[in-house]
Amino acid sequence: MKNNKWKMDTAIIHTAQTPCQKTGAVVSAVVPAVAYAFPDADSAAACVAGERAGTYYGRYGNPTIATLEEKIAALENGEAALGVSSGMAAISGALLAFLQHGDHVVCTRDVYGGSYKFLTSLAPRYGISADFVDCTNLQAVEQAFLPNTKVLYIETPSNPCLTVLDIAALSKLAHGHGIRVIVDNTFMTPYLQRPLELGADVVVHSATKYINGHGDVIAGFIVGKNEHIQFMRKNIMGDLGQNLNAWDAFLILRGLKTLGLRVRQHCQNAEEVARFLDNHPAISHVYYPGLASHPQHELAKRQMRGMGGIVSFEVKGGYEAAKSFINALRLAMISFSLGDPETLVQHPASMTHASIPAEERLKFNITDGLIRFSTGLEDAQDIIADLEQALAAIPMMGTASRE
Ligand SMILES: Cc1ncc(COP(=O)(O)O)c(C=O)c1O
């Protein structure tokens, strides 16, 4: 079922979901089958050739995953979507679809550590090079384009410093040079931002985060033009074996139903947390696009329907202070992930972004005192009380030696 006039909250629940014709079941069935039988040899051949709709082998797709892919494609307003085994499978798969030996990528400067690692360690082994550029500066981006640049890869807001990039302006610039644009929309979800409508060619997601939203699945999505998605399905995901499985697809279908409710609450709690931290003497800087002091606040208001659930901040006193602070938290848990019902906190320099050499990460503002805070769905007052007591526990708070 699909109705283009539906508002987002309705579309999230009803798109691609019709009661089972046989049983009337409202919830989609899980189909774990790997093998699919055909009435005759010609039908099997036509299915493999893509001339006939259907599933032929579980590594290339599955009916439960197909339902989810239809939903995700509709929510992102894309022609098609591909469900894969992780956010990194989505990122590497989308990049590999457009890149060959000898090609070059321009990538935003502060990007998820795994994406940085892929572009600086695995991709170069296959002759692909990358430059990391401040994508808030369009001139710098244009200067970084080389004759062999094939992809502009961005993440907005970025992980962990929440830099907001102008998707429409960057897409126009890249397209003028025949370059494709891939956007990691993990922090926003289609509920808050739809990059394809702003001109991007492909959207990638770590569905491990807000899309599933319950911290019990690792998955990813790629959304874009039908021909690109079919190429990725057959030649990248299928050949590398990066497929999602039906059980995880079912959990995502279930988690997705509350996306709107959850994202609204994450945004509201994060806003309260950001305002609290912004006035705290132990904090030297708060990164949150919803604060008027954020350098891209106006762009964020234009481009995003909400400011998201992640707040990053700099604790005065560097690594020792940051460690004391996170060790003192009682409600928030020290964890690598984000977008879960539980508030999760992490230290990018030693955790998610540890693969970036210190001198490089400092250029991206990933300092030793930086904390990334994934605001959960608990009561905002409890989250703030936890922050308050943990900040008070930092030794020698406010003395000159810690500035
Ligand atoms: C912005 C962003 N993109 C991609 C990923 C990778 O996702 P996954 O862990 O599902 O591979 C992450 C993981 O934290 C992320 O934060």
Side-chain angles (χ1 to χ4, degrees):
M1 223 193 319
K2 183 179 173 188
N3 178 335
N4 290 333
K5 293 208 182 86
W6 277 335
K7 300 266 189 267
M8 196 65 157
D9 282 295
T10 315
I12 284 170
I13 293 168
H14 289 282
T15 302
Q17 185 176 305
T18 25
C20 171
Q21 285 186 354
K22 205 164 155 195
T23 63
V26 169
V27 172
S28 313
V30 186
V31 182
V34 172
Y36 295 83
F38 293 90
D40 51 55
D42 282 346
S43 310
C47 189
V48 175
E51 291 154 6
R52 168 194 191 276
T55 310
Y56 61 94
Y57 187 60
R59 187 152 36 77
Y60 297 97
N62 163 296
T64 311
I65 299 165
T67 304
L68 178 57
E69 288 171 341
E70 196 182 330
K71 232 183 212 319
I72 298 287
L75 298 180
E76 281 288 5
N77 207 3
E79 281 180 20
L82 182 64
V84 290
S85 57
S86 68
M88 277 316 299
I91 292 163
S92 56
L95 283 165
L96 291 174
F98 295 117
L99 296 166
Q100 299 187 40
H101 190 276
D103 288 344
H104 173 253
V105 182
V106 171
C107 181
T108 184
R109 225 171 42 154
D110 53 333
V111 70
Y112 169 60
S115 310
Y116 177 91
K117 185 157 175 278
F118 173 76
L119 285 171
T120 54
S121 64
L122 192 59
R125 290 178 58 182
Y126 298 92
I128 295 164
S129 60
D131 278 311
F132 295 84
V133 175
D134 174 4
C135 289
T136 61
N137 179 345
L138 294 194
Q139 220 179 348
V141 174
E142 190 161 30
Q143 276 167 8
F145 287 158
L146 302 173
N148 57 338
T149 306
K150 294 286 159 49
V151 171
L152 171 63
Y153 181 88
I154 62 171
E155 189 180 289
T156 177
S158 67
N159 182 359
C161 288
L162 300 152
T163 307
V164 178
L165 302 176
D166 190 334
I167 300 172
L170 285 164
S171 299
K172 197 168 162 215
L173 180 69
H175 291 160
H177 292 260
I179 292 167
R180 309 245 192 228
V181 178
I182 303 177
V183 181
D184 184 334
N185 202 24
T186 299
F187 274 27
M188 289 280 95
T189 82
Y191 195 80
L192 298 179
Q193 175 173 276
R194 304 218 267 186
L196 299 177
E197 290 178 353
L198 299 167
D201 299 285
V202 172
V203 166
V204 290
H205 279 284
S206 167
T208 314
K209 312 296 186 306
Y210 295 101
I211 285 186
N212 176 57
H214 292 75
D216 48 13
V217 167
I218 293 205
F221 288 99
I222 312 174
V223 192
K225 288 214 160 43
N226 202 30
E227 60 170 312
H228 297 150
I229 296 299
Q230 291 328 322
F231 175 82
M232 293 174 201
R233 182 185 299 282
K234 282 214 141 185
N235 301 303
I236 309 232
M237 178 193 80
D239 287 0
L240 295 180
Q242 298 169 313
N243 54 289
L244 186 58
N245 70 70
W247 305 104
D248 285 346
F250 171 75
L251 285 173
I252 300 170
L253 280 166
R254 189 163 74 156
L256 196 58
K257 287 189 187 180
T258 54
L259 182 72
L261 276 172
R262 289 188 284 106
V263 166
R264 286 198 298 273
Q265 190 64 38
H266 280 299
C267 290
Q268 196 180 313
N269 283 358
E271 176 106 30
E272 289 188 40
V273 163
R275 292 201 188 289
F276 164 76
L277 293 170
D278 206 27
N279 293 316
H280 199 284
I283 306 291
S284 60
H285 195 89
V286 179
Y287 299 88
Y288 187 64
L291 293 177
S293 57
H294 187 284
Q296 294 95 33
H297 179 59
E298 290 307 316
L299 169 63
K301 282 199 288 186
R302 264 199 329 270
Q303 184 167 275
M304 295 146 53
R305 260 181 77 193
M307 300 297 163
I310 308 295
V311 183
S312 292
F313 51 95
E314 179 79 34
V315 178
K316 290 181 189 167
Y319 191 22
E320 287 310 313
K323 255 199 310 195
S324 305
F325 163 70
I326 57 174
N327 285 341
L329 287 164
R330 292 181 193 141
L331 176 67
M333 287 179 268
I334 304 171
S335 164
F336 281 80
S337 202
L338 59 95
D340 288 356
E342 298 83 7
T343 292
L344 302 175
V345 68
Q346 69 104 5
H347 180 248
S350 64
M351 293 173 67
T352 49
H353 292 68
S355 64
I356 306 180
E359 56 182 74
E360 277 300 299
R361 68 171 162 77
L362 287 173
K363 286 191 219 155
F364 312 159
N365 291 332
I366 305 173
T367 60
D368 288 347
L370 186 74
I371 304 284
R372 188 190 75 193
F373 196 79
S374 170
T375 318
L377 299 175
E378 303 95 340
D379 190 302
Q381 281 185 16
D382 291 328
I383 300 171
I384 289 171
D386 191 32
L387 282 168
E388 201 160 20
Q389 64 80 25
L391 287 168
I394 300 175
M396 298 189 302
M397 199 186 92
T399 63
S401 63
R402 298 185 51 258
E403 292 298 314

